[in-house]
Amino acid sequence: MQYFAIGDQDTVLGFSLVGVFGMRGEIPSRKGYPGYLYSNLSEIYERSGKIMGKNGSITQLPILSMPNDDISHPVPDLTGYITEGQIVFDRGMQARGIYPPINVLPSLSRLMKDGIGEGMTRADHPHLSNQLFASYSHVKDVQNLASVIGEEELTPLDHQYLEFGDFFEKRFVNQAFDEDRSIEETLDLGWEALSKLPSEELQRLTDEEIEEHYKG
């Protein structure tokens, strides 16, 4: 049997520790937080995984509010080292109507590589995931460049990346609350997104994968 625990205690604990160790006159570490914050956070996760007299495992889904949306803040930063992954929500994407507003670039899973690929999802899944990540990362570079020189000064390839990024967010990431999308459909959407780019840009995919799935 598996239990699910959802909480938002990390930030509260962090702020509390600042007050306690300040009263003790201890030497502060990063941004005024104590150096033992990591150990205290780890203990919380370990304790919440134990239930007297109960068998099975617990999958925790802690919800962490980042102070000032700063993912480098000691609490979210150290929590990321403890957990097996993190899903980062983005206020800007929410404002653009993307649901769920997941920012894929800072999000990660340390277990994904062991659960995807041939015999589990689909053979092209690992390479497709890497290519989507790399291409979307480049979209952010193009958007930053456009904010400096203006979109009219971008190259045709840059405009293709912007088109890819728009499709990626509105069709691939965006998923209605009542939308039942299979993993196969999601992977096909990923290929549809990448097909908006020249095949020469898809350097993380094999020639065989491009020949089979590329729609450009």
Side-chain angles (χ1 to χ4, degrees):
M1 182 177 294
Q2 192 172 57
Y3 303 85
F4 292 83
I6 302 178
D8 187 14
Q9 76 279 359
D10 292 9
T11 306
V12 175
L13 170 70
F15 286 135
S16 300
L17 285 177
V18 170
V20 171
F21 100 104
M23 293 176 59
R24 293 176 176 174
E26 299 175 356
I27 299 175
S29 183
R30 289 175 52 194
K31 297 186 179 181
Y33 284 78
Y36 49 79
L37 176 61
Y38 178 88
S39 299
N40 286 170
L41 290 174
S42 298
E43 289 174 1
I44 285 182
Y45 286 110
E46 290 172 1
R47 286 203 305 270
S48 59
K50 300 177 181 178
I51 300 180
M52 294 290 292
K54 296 289 185 179
N55 296 322
S57 61
I58 291 182
T59 298
Q60 296 182 59
L61 300 176
I63 301 171
L64 175 61
S65 300
M66 298 183 292
N68 300 318
D69 292 341
D70 181 12
I71 198 171
S72 66
H73 184 278
V75 174
D77 185 40
L78 292 175
T79 300
Y81 285 104
I82 299 169
T83 59
E84 296 294 345
Q86 60 193 32
I87 300 173
V88 181
F89 293 116
D90 186 276
R91 294 184 191 273
M93 295 181 70
Q94 182 187 32
R96 295 195 298 276
I98 307 299
Y99 177 88
I102 297 175
N103 187 344
V104 301
L105 297 181
S107 300
L108 62 89
S109 170
R110 297 185 177 89
L111 302 178
M112 185 182 77
K113 66 180 184 300
D114 298 323
I116 64 174
E118 189 171 5
M120 290 174 284
T121 54
R122 205 167 74 183
D124 61 314
H125 192 166
H127 291 164
L128 176 61
S129 174
N130 291 337
Q131 185 63 65
L132 286 169
F133 186 94
S135 298
Y136 186 63
S137 178
H138 187 68
V139 168
K140 295 304 178 182
D141 294 335
V142 174
Q143 289 175 340
N144 291 335
L145 179 62
S147 68
V148 176
I149 66 174
E151 282 195 29
E152 63 278 1
E153 298 297 328
L154 296 176
T155 67
L157 179 59
D158 289 337
H159 282 285
Q160 287 181 280
Y161 269 102
L162 292 180
E163 183 182 359
F164 158 80
D166 188 65
F167 183 95
F168 181 80
E169 291 184 354
K170 293 181 178 179
R171 294 288 308 281
F172 186 86
V173 176
N174 192 58
Q175 185 173 351
F177 184 78
D178 57 351
E179 180 183 353
D180 185 13
R181 186 199 299 172
S182 68
I183 185 64
E184 287 281 342
E185 292 171 324
T186 300
L187 294 174
D188 290 340
L189 268 178
W191 276 105
E192 189 174 347
L194 290 176
S195 295
K196 297 186 177 300
L197 299 172
S199 59
E200 295 79 12
E201 292 292 305
L202 310 181
Q203 300 177 2
R204 296 174 184 265
L205 297 162
T206 66
D207 292 338
E208 293 76 16
E209 290 169 337
I210 293 175
E211 183 178 353
E212 181 178 356
H213 299 285
Y214 182 69
K215 304 173 184 177

